[in-house]
Amino acid sequence: MIDEQIRRVLADNGRMPVDVATLADDADLYRAGLSSRACVSVMLALEEVFDVEFPEDMLRKATFGSVAAVRVAITELLSEGREG
Amino acid sequence: MPEDGTVRGAVVLCPPFGLEVEAAARAYQVLGEQLASQNFAVLHVDYDGTGDSAGCDEDPGRVEAWQSSVRAGVEFMRSSGALHVSVVGLRFGATVAASVAEECDLDALVLWDPCDGRSYLREEALLWDAYLGSDRLPRAYRGERASTGAPVEALGTVYGDETVRAMSGLSIASSQGPLARRVLALFRPGRSPRRGVLERLSMVHVEFGEAPEQEELLSVWSSKPMIPERTVGAIVEWLSLAAGLAAAPMQLPSPRVAAIQFPEGDEVVEEIMCLGLDRLFGVLTTPAVGVATTTVVLLNSGRIGHAGPGRLWVCPARSWARAGVSVLRVDLSGLGDSPTRPGQEPDLVFGLFALDDIAEITAAVSSRGSSGVVLMGLCSGARQSIDSALAVGARGIIAINPAFPEMSNPPGRWSSLSNRLGKRVFDVSNRVGGDSRRVSVLKRAVRRGLDVRWWLVNRARRERRPALVLKNLVEHGVDTFVICAIDEGRLITRGEGGALRSMRRTRRFWMGSLLNVDHSLYSKVARDQVFPVLAEHLASRYGAGAKRQGTGASPAHGPGRAPGP
């Protein structure tokens, strides 16, 4: 479910020239065409969809480098939210 | 200003910050022109420490200074005779405008895709990291950034601790009072306003609308500027309705000269210039005392003007002028604040008229008594300096990361052959093996000295090789100073040992490749390396006899507030 939402956010906001559905979980999103500016749009859209806020130490290129990396970050933020 | 000098009202345009101001520059220009065509007087504000205004981003009290800039803009229009004054603010510029709107007694306020300070800083921090990649920076620098969390570095600028704290507290939700007699709030479709913003704006005189082209305007890297025509049209129409039809004469004073004061008390003088027949826009910075014999002409980098990261040269120009060199920051035709020539496409880098522009600029500079012109630029500006130096009789050129787009792809067949040969050389040198000093020297000689691959590739090229282009300048007596990022420097030096040695022998050629320098000097670590090198070169080569202070990089030497207009 999380993966599906992440991929939808990437498709809607990533402005990548490839079909996000065809990308492997660990595929490098920047190599797939995710620009630095689009990365910011993806971050904001993820925050809205999952109702989370990326802390400062997660505002890094690597956090949004692949579907798997985004999933790790979102899962961590959601679990922190539940614990909090 | 409308041509007939009668206005229905005045509009102060408050730009966004950072890279966004660069993206929105042309849109703001179009908005200003359309408002002027509807009989509005329009003032485009560069906040203190941004664009061509006085101040530096590392000065204290940034947020207060930005707020004062909006107040000053409104007061300037009102004191010039405008009966109705409105403000348009985009992104964080909208938030800054809203924070002082109550005390400015505005007729109308447009909040265009407003963004609170904290959100803006978060976006900038991610953009910086995603663009430059913090893994490319020196370890010590990464450590500092990771441990303190502040200041926040954005592309081309740094927000210090105090500024970050002040920005973080600034939002539409924290603004006071009714803001203006009429307010239009335009939000980006699909992006919810931050909490508290809609509640704050729930007032009968606030109208809401959409800014549908924001993603294309601000979230896409593009070689051509995007004009959000629907949003611009909606703002012009709304302001026109708000102002009514009554018009009155208005006369704007046109201050052209300002003294820029340094914290130590000394000054340089800045003058707005209209150069040549086409009235190209420029800002000339000169020493307040004495006469500079050399003028450095700074050309545009790409299509950008002097706002946002395009402000790169503003503070260094003032420091260099302080050291005895005149510096002219110009916009070529169709770029920045310069007009577009008839038949010319605006915002075109390497435009057809670039050489004509540079010739007009250098002629104008010479007519003011400067005996030598040094052309200087970054990327395309560097290339245009190189390409036009001989034609305009420049005394020297200073090229930072010069663009040689024709050199990016070596011919495939030769590249492949040279790669095979190069690999063979490396294999042989590796097979020799051993750790003796003699073998190491031999391997280094093989790897660095021969550079067979690029020697071959260079000679297979149809294009003129960068090293030979530079050599031509040097042989014609032009001082040639080149600074490059390591990768970009290789484009010039690989396989060109002979040409480089011959140029260096003339003592008119200097070239350095620096680590951790990005192409656009977006990172502070890059600017901190490049600016002192440039200051040293300018002082030693062109600033003889003048006192030398500052590097253009240190906040201690940054210019202070201009006491003039």
Side-chain angles (χ1 to χ4, degrees):
Chain A
M1 181 61 183
I2 287 183
D3 270 21
E4 200 178 302
Q5 287 173 296
I6 291 171
R7 284 177 188 274
R8 195 174 309 135
V9 166
L10 285 168
D12 291 345
N13 300 276
R15 296 180 176 274
M16 288 185 283
V18 297
D19 182 357
V20 176
T22 64
L23 292 172
D25 267 13
D26 60 350
D28 187 328
L29 295 178
Y30 299 105
R31 280 180 185 272
L34 181 67
S35 75
S36 48
R37 276 182 158 155
C39 174
V40 174
S41 297
V42 166
M43 181 271 285
L44 293 169
L46 288 167
E47 290 192 336
E48 191 142 332
V49 166
F50 292 101
D51 194 22
V52 294
E53 182 175 292
F54 290 96
E56 193 188 331
D57 63 352
M58 279 193 183
L59 295 175
R60 298 283 179 269
K61 182 177 186 174
T63 307
F64 307 92
S66 67
V67 172
V70 174
R71 184 177 57 231
V72 168
I74 293 287
T75 306
E76 188 182 324
L77 292 175
L78 289 174
S79 65
E80 277 173 11
R82 275 194 292 273
E83 285 164 15
Chain B
M1 276 289 287
E3 280 182 16
D4 65 2
T6 58
V7 303
R8 300 158 67 193
V11 181
V12 177
L13 300 182
C14 297
F17 286 73
L19 207 61
E20 292 182 340
V21 68
E22 196 179 291
R26 192 59 81 190
Y28 254 44
Q29 189 179 19
V30 170
L31 174 62
E33 287 166 359
Q34 291 193 11
L35 285 167
S37 74
Q38 296 293 316
N39 282 88
F40 286 99
V42 183
L43 178 70
H44 187 126
V45 172
D46 282 346
Y47 310 103
D48 189 297
T50 72
D52 285 309
S53 283
C56 272
D57 56 6
E58 291 165 343
D59 289 348
R62 289 298 75 212
V63 171
E64 292 84 353
W66 301 334
Q67 290 169 323
S68 296
S69 304
V70 179
R71 285 190 210 100
V74 171
E75 182 52 36
F76 177 75
M77 295 307 249
R78 196 161 274 143
S79 64
S80 303
L83 298 177
H84 306 282
V85 181
S86 304
V87 168
V88 177
L90 174 57
R91 298 280 291 158
F92 186 60
T95 305
V96 173
S99 70
V100 296
E102 175 70 2
E103 56 195 285
C104 287
D105 190 26
L106 299 175
D107 286 85
L109 172 65
V110 178
L111 304 171
W112 181 356
D113 189 20
C115 167
D116 66 62
R118 186 167 172 273
S119 302
Y120 173 73
L121 287 169
R122 296 179 71 245
E123 291 177 33
E124 289 292 293
L126 175 57
L127 181 62
W128 186 93
D129 202 88
Y131 184 81
L132 289 172
S134 51
D135 54 328
R136 286 177 49 188
L137 291 172
R139 193 169 297 158
Y141 187 76
R142 288 205 304 271
E144 178 195 334
R145 184 175 154 82
S147 63
T148 62
V152 171
E153 182 168 2
L155 295 178
T157 192
V158 177
Y159 299 106
D161 297 27
E162 180 215 339
T163 309
V164 167
R165 278 194 299 277
M167 287 176 78
S168 300
L170 214 58
S171 72
I172 298 291
S174 65
S175 60
Q176 301 292 315
L179 300 177
R181 280 179 270 291
R182 294 185 65 193
V183 178
L184 175 64
L186 300 171
F187 292 105
R188 200 182 298 209
R191 195 182 285 187
S192 306
R194 303 291 292 188
R195 289 185 185 92
V197 172
L198 290 180
E199 291 86 335
R200 169 72 184 91
L201 294 176
S202 295
M203 297 180 277
V204 289
H205 63 290
V206 179
E207 298 170 48
F208 293 91
E210 287 195 335
E213 300 133 317
Q214 287 303 97
E215 285 293 318
E216 290 78 8
L217 177 65
L218 300 174
S219 302
V220 179
W221 291 100
S222 170
S223 57
K224 296 288 289 178
M226 191 268 176
I227 311 295
E229 287 173 5
R230 281 185 287 170
T231 309
V232 167
I235 291 171
V236 173
E237 187 182 346
W238 187 83
L239 284 171
S240 295
L241 287 172
L245 292 172
M250 180 178 169
Q251 194 156 18
L252 286 177
S254 51
R256 302 183 67 86
V257 180
I260 306 288
Q261 196 171 52
F262 288 82
E264 293 83 354
D266 54 336
E267 294 179 343
V268 293
V269 176
E270 290 209 324
E271 182 179 355
I272 295 171
M273 309 283 288
C274 290
L275 301 150
L277 292 173
D278 293 285
R279 302 182 65 73
L280 301 173
F281 175 82
V283 179
L284 179 67
T285 313
T286 51
V289 181
V291 178
T293 54
T294 302
T295 301
V296 176
V297 175
L298 278 157
L299 305 177
N300 302 84
S301 312
R303 63 174 170 80
I304 63 176
H306 310 153
R311 190 177 207 260
L312 180 67
W313 303 118
V314 174
C315 288
R318 291 167 183 165
S319 286
W320 299 337
R322 192 188 198 191
V325 180
S326 289
V327 185
L328 175 65
R329 315 189 295 272
V330 289
D331 287 334
L332 300 183
S333 58
L335 303 177
D337 290 312
S338 281
T340 303
R341 289 179 186 245
Q344 183 185 23
E345 192 181 338
D347 300 303
L348 197 63
V349 181
F350 296 118
L352 282 176
F353 297 101
L355 180 57
D356 297 335
D357 293 342
I358 296 168
E360 283 187 19
I361 291 161
T362 48
V365 167
S366 300
S367 72
R368 287 177 63 97
S370 184
S371 62
V373 168
V374 176
L375 299 174
M376 177 169 167
L378 166 77
C379 183
S380 65
R383 179 60 185 273
Q384 279 164 333
S385 302
I386 293 168
D387 288 349
S388 55
L390 288 179
V392 303
R395 179 179 169 190
I397 64 115
I398 299 175
I400 300 107
N401 288 330
F404 288 100
E406 70 274 23
M407 295 294 288
S408 52
N409 295 308
R413 188 163 55 92
W414 280 95
S415 184
S416 165
L417 174 62
S418 74
N419 276 333
R420 282 205 300 276
L421 270 169
K423 188 171 182 308
R424 190 72 181 268
V425 170
F426 284 146
D427 287 347
V428 170
S429 67
N430 283 332
R431 216 174 293 142
V432 172
D435 294 324
S436 75
R437 191 169 165 272
R438 190 176 297 173
V439 171
S440 298
V441 169
L442 177 67
K443 284 162 81 169
R444 232 184 0 255
V446 169
R447 290 179 179 178
R448 292 183 185 171
L450 285 178
D451 202 2
V452 174
R453 291 179 300 163
W454 289 109
W455 190 90
L456 277 171
V457 168
N458 287 344
R459 274 137 195 87
R461 285 184 188 282
R462 288 183 191 155
E463 309 88 16
R464 193 119 194 262
R465 287 142 47 197
L468 296 191
V469 173
L470 297 173
K471 193 176 172 199
N472 188 41
L473 293 184
V474 174
E475 285 173 347
H476 283 84
V478 178
D479 284 350
T480 301
F481 188 86
V482 183
I483 299 181
C484 289
I486 291 282
D487 289 352
E488 300 189 46
R490 285 197 190 114
L491 203 66
I492 297 171
T493 58
R494 59 194 177 191
E496 299 285 8
L500 293 169
R501 278 192 295 277
S502 121
M503 282 192 277
R504 287 200 171 104
R505 276 197 293 271
T506 66
R507 297 182 180 274
R508 284 194 298 273
F509 175 75
W510 303 263
M511 180 169 174
S513 296
L514 300 174
L515 268 173
N516 304 307
V517 168
D518 62 285
H519 176 75
S520 303
L521 307 190
Y522 278 158
S523 74
K524 184 175 184 302
V525 74
R527 297 192 296 277
D528 284 352
Q529 288 186 83
V530 171
F531 288 167
V533 174
L534 294 175
E536 178 72 39
H537 175 69
L538 287 170
S540 64
R541 197 71 185 169
Y542 307 111
K547 64 173 180 173
R548 190 180 153 239
Q549 298 171 45
T551 62
S554 163
H557 297 102
R561 192 176 307 279

